Amino acid sequence: MTITIVDGDTGEPIIGVTIYTDDYSFTATSDFDGTCVLSDLAYRDEINFSYLGYRDLKLPFYQIRKLGAKVKMYVDNVLLDSIVVIGRPDDPISEIPYVVQKIGKEEIAFLNGQTAVDAINNDGGVYIQKSQMGGGSPVIRGFEANRVLLVLDGVRMNNAIYRNGHLQNAITVDNAMLEQVEVIYGPGSLVYGSDALGGVVHFRSREPKLLFGDANISSDNYNLLTNAYTRFSSANMEKSLHVDVDYGTKKWGSISSATYSNYGDLRAGDNRPEEYPDFGKRRYYVQRIDGEDVTLENSDPNIQVGTAYSQFDLMQKIKFQPKDHLSFVFNTQYSTSTNVPRYDILVDTLENAAKLKWAEWNYGPQKRLLTSLKIKSLKPTAIYDKATFIAAYQRIDEDRLQRKVAKLYRSFSKVDVHVASLTADFKKAFDDAERHNLSYGLEGNYNLVYSKAGRINIKNEKIINDEVSRYPSGGSTMSTYAGYVYYRGKNSNSTLNFNAGLRFSNVNLLSQFEADDPVITWPDSYIDPGISTNNTAITWGTGLTWNPKNRLQVRMLVSTAFRSPNIDDFSKIRAKNYFVTAPNKDLQPEHATNGELTIAKEFGAKINSSGHSEGRSVKISATGFYTYLKDAIVRQIGSLTNGDTLLVVEGEPHRVQQNVNALNGKVFGLSGNFLYNINSVWQIKSSINYTRGRSILVDDTEKPLSHIPPVYGQFKLAYNKNKLRIEGIVRFNGKKAWEDYALNDADNEEHAIEGVGSLAWQTFNLYASYQFAKRMSINFDIENIMDLHYRPFASGISAPGRNFIFALRGEF
């Protein structure tokens, strides 16, 4: 007899279901179509059906015959909730006091974000700043750039040159290969160390599936599944192609992935406010024609000429699991791009709109290489029940290429960063019920930075090394060593969870300058042995999570965090807007103290980890937080080592600035979330975020703190049944008034409306997917339906106008 095992709600076949009798005289596994042949079974034999995430099912053979050829299994909501883990230590989400936003691969694929940053932005919880299309800087609770920690597969991406303005590094993560993204709100320095003042964004890429995983069982010896998609977006004429192959046996697995994306110049919306009919228009641009820089009039000012680029991403993972309790995962990822134009600088003008300053301003090809080995042991010992080791190496190339209009020489700044790291995380339970657990770990991280600068003749390619390098040309190092211990306990019925922990960190910086620097004469001590600093910090955190039986949840957290100066803060030499930043060897760490309270309540049917329920249900949650920032690093007027306050760069005098610990600040806010499952098909979901930040000066007066976004959020109405899924999303953003800008800082007031600020906006968006065959689906989306012209706060580029997206996806 041939049967098909299907999902009881969707009717979709379930692949890889384990089927067996109690005495194992009969065993089988459902194939790619969910089918299985039952043979040599007696009338009253009982047959078990088991699959991860579904309720176990046991049926006598005679009942299966009565049911016909179809056996239905149903999702186990309780089990699914229990296996959701967060962060590098894989803590259960229900037992940690942090506010966590999880974005799964299904949501990423459905909303069709072009980059990993867009995937975060589409979900509505994190604010994103963009200086150019090839970028995106997450803002969490008013903290950004090197105050937000990016992590990929347990390896920290933040390195010695992450700056305090805006970053573009997150786009080098291939969102086509993400299993999920975890956004951990609030200081996360306890486990992750320096830089996690505002929060942590943890990208998890997919891992190979071993035999009996959710893949195409093409024989008895291996699994094989191929995924592919192609996507087109009209706003920037995006053309993307992705393919990955997942292969697995009982002990070995491999997943290979390639993604190519080509983006044209971005078209902004045409529907502008009547008061500002020309805001954001790109009227002129510079093009090199017959060896000359020519200023051309843009035939369509909504086309932001100078935004196009392309990107190529590769990933290879190999998994070896010789025993059930031991696994090894070797991970290699590589990302590269063409030159990425810095649009917000390319629009700089001199005398009028037709007199552009720059002919070229590009980030050189953005290259990132990651290799890591992750070892996980689940065999209990005297000192741990679970151990995870991650050894990693990264290389990052971050180059800048720029040339002014009609100039013969192109300036270049080349920076190479090498990062080696090792983390070890352990967990030990003190009782069989695992009510008392101790997590502890060690971490080592070493950064090596090389930097050089010069000019190249664009006609004969002659190189002249007569410019100051962005970082010390003799090389710089940054090393971090840390250890943490973290206790988690819960009462007998798991309604009360308590967390407390400590972390010790030590950070060493060393920068060496060269005697033949073409611009600055450095003291002998700056050359050998160089300038150095050593910083230590002890951070702590304690939290309480209360989950009473009435489906109320209360989370309380008090924690501290720190950010040690990196090479970018400590010894960067950078000229911009007639200012030049000089090193400060006396720079100290920033510190933050945070308190927050979250209250959530569920009503109606049980809501699973994906936010859905089998019946009507409601979930409401609100979080309030307050963070006090001490010894914040800011730029102030300073001097060179010889006392000079001016430095001539490219023939023009620049005022000297230095990074100093001269500021305290406070950031506070509220966030709210509402979820209403009308039934198993219809859902309403909304979120809103409010943040306020103030700098506290030495005389106790206050002024606006930079990086603080206006109020923002979204409202979503969703329909999901069988093969069709449709969502209408309204995204909204409040006004950022001019008086709330931190002027001459990272808020980029020059890209807002002078005296007004950034305008409020809302966009209407429609997303749809339809599975038209067993292994094929299509997506059709319309973003910014009203073709509104808007520019998010602090961004130097206007957002896409009306955008039609078409994607075709298949599994083979």
Side-chain angles (χ1 to χ4, degrees), residues 288 293 358-360 402-407 409-410 458:
R288 189 85 175 163
D293 291 332
W358 297 96
E360 308 171 21
Q402 56 201 59
R403 184 176 62 84
K404 292 182 179 179
V405 172
K407 296 297 183 181
Y409 283 88
R410 176 188 299 121
I458 62 174

Side-chain angles (χ1 to χ4, degrees), residues 122-138:
N122 283 340
D123 205 64
V126 177
Y127 200 86
I128 300 295
Q129 182 278 344
K130 288 190 177 184
S131 298
Q132 67 280 341
M133 189 170 67
S137 189

